[in-house]
Amino acid sequence: MTIRVRIAPSPTGSPHVGTAYMGLFNLAFARHHNGLFVLRVEDTDQGRSRPEYESGIFRALQWMGIQWDEGPDIGGPFGPYRQSERTVIYREHIRILIDKGKAYRCFCTADRLAEMRKLQHQNKLPEGYDGRCRNLSEAEIENHLQNNDPFVIRLRVPDEGTCVINDRLRSEIRYEYNQIDDQILMKSDGYPTYHLANVIDDHLMRITHVIRGEEWVPSTPKHVLLYQSFGWEIPEFIHLPLLLNPDGSKLSKRKNPTSIDYYRDAGFLPEALLNYLGLMSYSRPDQEEKFTLDDFVSDFDIDRVSLGGSIFDLKKLRWLNARYLRENYTPDQLWLKFTGWRINPEFLSRMIPMMQNRLHTLGDFIPACSFLLATDVSYDTALLTGHDKDPGEIAEMLQTVIFQLETLTDWIPGNLQTALELVAAFWELPIRDVTSVLFVAISGMTVAPPLYESMALLGRDMTRRRIMDSIDRLGSVGRKKMKKLEERWDMWNSVRHQTNGEGNQP
RNA sequence: GGUCCCAUCGUCUAGUGGCCUAGGACGCUGGCCUCUCACGCCGGUAACACGGGUUCGACCCCCGUUGGGACCGCCA
């Protein structure tokens, strides 16, 4: 039987290094065993999925040299490979589950569920669905259906018994069914949840090995139950350890740059990044630390992965990248790398209009806008606060800039301006007080080319990183303060939306 | 809080009962090379979380403790 593996990214944001990490290990496993590697897009979250995120993920993975054998863009024998195009399949299958009594309709409202959770939390009871709609009579169901009451479909998890998961790297993992929630399989919008779609697709796409992050272990019993309910063969599960922040928590963009685009824009080479990922929780038999994808594949052995999570260490990545830079390229070849990056007519010509009026000589150009071509920017932290401002307050202000920037779909100067105006309004400050800080955070200088254009050109992930860096310089925003700030921010925004009506988002 | 996973230098890791007075790499650091810097070379720093077993013998096996993490959404 051909080995078939897959990665299943969700197009809800910037391309994540974790996706590339899983991609690398899946790809290596497939290639090493002469198998096939599938890319499937899990876009069942109608609210958050966007086509531009999907193409961004494709581009980023390809940039890194992670190439799939079947996927939405190239097709394959088991398509479509985009879950939003498979809704009919899910509906057919959920029907089977309901007929078998393995799943049931639940008419509980989101409000009731929230209330229920709150109570459970207060009374320190285990949280989970209380099963109110588990045993509705035919008549009751009929009645709800007649009324067009919205409903979801839940998995009927047995009241007793043990689920044994065979994980290749961890031997047997056991879960008692009585502590597993009746998972929602189909949302009220008719779309499947991850759990349902994932199991159906993995089966239909003939996936033999599910290689995914450790974060999925707790939901695996639900998946096992689904396979059993359908009467399907269960694939082999291989849960890989997670990529971690320096503090040991799961890698997150709040604490570390996680976007592949950041690493590209910061000037890392794709092969170095890929190589570095291959060092995470893994070591080659010969202990060699620098290797090509082909090397990696040729002696790849999934049983060599170690189980502790790995902290993503920028310092070591930089060292590896430096080795590639000096060992793998002649000066001429390196020049090609520069032009493929940002030192090319296309990028530079976009810098010229914003500089023209500010030049006394041609030689003023590069020094004035070198921050657009720099990995990092260095400056005196005091420039962020001026003479009299409180570092904590400035940090919070910058944090709200990040909140607002997050909501932008199009990274263009006009939207950036609106975003900063909004932040200024929130703090009841003149826009100037916001932009003056941003100038420093972004360029490292108090005198710089136009801010919005600069941010647009720098790019979303580089901009984010620079702002995060400036917050860190100011001493960061503590957990409690962060939570409070978020609440205040959300509150202010919801009020704003009520007064302005919907659709005024920049 | 409940369930589950994990545990070797600050970080990435080697190690599958004797080869370990624990090896390599990043970082940090002393020196050499040198017009500066970088590269390169030589050296240093620093770890088996703890307590019980099992065994002639435990970093390696078992149990417990501690610590860390993940998950507990009509997100994936």
Side-chain angles (χ1 to χ4, degrees):
Chain A
M1 190 171 62
T2 327
I3 282 180
R4 294 175 56 85
V5 298
R6 76 341 185 239
I7 51 169
S10 181
T12 53
S14 293
H16 199 281
V17 286
T19 305
Y21 178 52
M22 288 303 148
L24 171 63
F25 280 74
N26 272 277
L27 174 70
F29 185 76
R31 291 265 188 283
H32 184 81
H33 296 286
N34 295 312
L36 293 167
F37 172 51
V38 178
L39 176 74
R40 180 175 70 227
V41 173
E42 308 227 327
D43 57 347
T44 55
D45 185 337
Q46 289 195 83
R48 295 199 301 152
S49 297
R50 294 191 189 278
E52 56 269 33
Y53 289 143
E54 179 189 292
S55 53
I57 291 168
F58 289 3
R59 219 181 318 116
L61 291 175
Q62 275 159 348
W63 175 74
M64 287 189 66
I66 295 171
Q67 188 51 260
W68 47 97
D69 303 304
E70 297 170 23
D73 54 336
I74 52 177
F78 302 104
Y81 292 90
R82 203 177 272 120
Q83 288 184 333
S84 59
E85 295 166 13
R86 300 170 64 82
T87 51
V88 180
I89 299 173
Y90 307 129
R91 257 179 228 130
E92 283 168 1
H93 284 82
I94 200 79
R95 185 78 249 165
I96 297 172
L97 255 24
I98 288 183
D99 289 347
K100 282 186 172 180
K102 305 284 188 187
Y104 62 92
R105 293 180 185 83
C106 170
F107 297 91
C108 294
T109 61
D111 285 348
R112 182 182 108 67
L113 260 24
E115 190 60 28
M116 177 195 74
R117 271 187 214 106
K118 207 174 133 192
L119 247 94
Q120 287 169 338
H121 194 76
Q122 277 172 5
N123 299 323
K124 299 194 168 170
L125 291 165
E127 295 182 39
Y129 183 58
D130 59 7
R132 177 183 284 198
C133 296
R134 254 192 153 200
N135 297 303
L136 294 181
S137 68
E138 289 295 324
E140 285 172 306
I141 294 172
E142 228 10 76
N143 196 273
H144 273 118
L145 259 25
Q146 291 283 317
N147 290 343
N148 270 326
D149 291 336
F151 63 90
V152 300
I153 296 171
R154 287 180 184 273
L155 177 66
R156 191 186 297 278
V157 178
D159 298 321
E160 51 187 35
T162 307
C163 178
V164 180
I165 299 161
N166 290 300
D167 184 279
R168 168 111 166 221
L169 302 173
R170 299 156 212 266
S171 69
E172 292 183 347
I173 301 173
R174 290 163 185 280
Y175 282 92
E176 295 301 318
Y177 277 130
N178 63 22
Q179 62 205 21
I180 293 172
D181 203 14
D182 278 4
Q183 219 355 283
I184 289 177
L185 300 176
M186 191 163 278
K187 307 174 230 178
S188 56
D189 65 1
Y191 272 61
T193 58
Y194 168 84
H195 307 281
L196 210 226
N198 181 264
V199 165
I200 292 174
D201 289 346
D202 281 347
H203 175 258
L204 261 22
M205 293 178 183
R206 310 267 201 280
I207 300 303
T208 56
H209 300 257
V210 173
I211 304 172
R212 67 196 346 174
E214 192 182 352
E215 66 219 282
W216 295 108
V217 171
S219 50
T220 307
K222 294 161 189 170
H223 303 167
V224 168
L225 199 56
L226 279 170
Y227 282 106
Q228 288 168 341
S229 299
F230 282 119
W232 293 340
E233 195 183 335
I234 298 170
E236 182 163 359
F237 291 109
I238 305 172
H239 289 98
L240 262 30
L242 268 19
L243 254 26
L244 272 28
N245 292 314
D247 68 359
S249 56
K250 182 166 87 163
L251 192 67
S252 63
K253 68 175 176 181
R254 288 239 163 138
K255 299 176 179 172
N256 214 65
T258 57
S259 169
I260 296 170
D261 292 346
Y262 165 77
Y263 293 93
R264 179 198 59 200
D265 295 343
F268 288 91
L269 298 171
E271 64 268 34
L273 216 208
L274 192 73
N275 186 156
Y276 180 68
L277 256 16
L279 251 24
M280 300 281 87
S281 291
Y282 188 78
S283 66
R284 284 163 37 94
D286 63 6
Q287 289 284 288
E288 187 51 60
E289 294 197 295
K290 183 175 173 235
F291 45 78
T292 65
L293 179 58
D294 286 343
D295 293 334
F296 188 70
V297 166
S298 75
D299 59 8
F300 183 73
D301 177 5
I302 194 112
D303 295 312
R304 280 187 68 85
V305 333
S306 56
L307 294 176
S310 322
I311 292 172
F312 193 94
D313 180 13
L314 259 317
K315 287 232 178 80
K316 189 149 183 177
L317 206 213
R318 287 174 67 91
W319 164 78
L320 234 202
N321 200 63
R323 276 193 69 180
Y324 274 88
L325 249 19
R326 62 177 175 261
E327 293 173 9
N328 288 31
Y329 298 95
T330 64
D332 285 347
Q333 290 169 329
L334 199 51
W335 168 241
L336 257 30
K337 286 285 145 187
F338 281 116
T339 57
W341 182 60
R342 293 189 151 183
I343 304 187
N344 55 48
E346 201 273 324
F347 194 86
L348 294 176
S349 67
R350 287 166 68 192
M351 289 159 64
I352 293 173
M354 49 195 236
M355 285 306 298
Q356 193 161 6
N357 291 340
R358 296 171 169 79
L359 298 175
H360 292 90
T361 64
L362 297 177
D364 289 343
F365 181 59
I366 292 295
C369 52
S370 64
F371 69 95
L372 292 168
L373 298 166
T375 303
D376 296 305
V377 108
S378 67
Y379 52 90
D380 181 352
T381 303
L383 290 177
L384 288 168
T385 49
H387 309 288
D388 48 352
K389 290 176 197 146
D390 177 59
E393 282 171 24
I394 300 291
E396 291 198 28
M397 191 271 283
L398 287 166
Q399 188 57 55
T400 55
V401 172
I402 289 193
F403 289 159
Q404 185 55 30
L405 256 26
E406 219 94 287
T407 68
L408 298 186
T409 45
D410 292 315
W411 193 259
I412 55 172
N415 288 351
L416 293 165
Q417 174 165 4
T418 316
L420 295 194
E421 283 167 358
L422 228 47
V423 170
F426 173 79
W427 292 99
E428 295 175 345
L429 288 170
I431 183 79
R432 205 188 161 80
D433 286 6
V434 175
T435 51
S436 63
V437 178
L438 260 298
F439 268 111
V440 177
I442 301 300
S443 71
M445 305 181 288
T446 49
V447 179
L451 184 63
Y452 310 126
E453 280 77 3
S454 295
M455 290 167 75
L457 206 47
L458 232 206
R460 172 182 240 122
D461 299 303
M462 288 287 279
T463 299
R464 191 196 155 84
R465 163 72 172 179
R466 300 248 167 118
I467 298 173
M468 291 293 285
D469 183 54
S470 66
I471 293 173
D472 285 344
R473 282 162 174 269
L474 293 165
S476 84
V477 180
R479 262 179 75 111
K480 271 193 176 161
K481 281 200 169 161
M482 179 71 104
K483 215 180 154 188
K484 265 190 156 166
L485 184 62
E486 250 182 308
E487 278 169 13
R488 252 172 74 204
W489 176 257
D490 289 344
M491 178 80 78
W492 186 78
N493 270 287
S494 66
V495 170
R496 182 171 62 88
H497 280 119
Q498 275 165 21
T499 30
N500 291 0
E502 294 303 313
N504 264 1
Q505 200 111 336

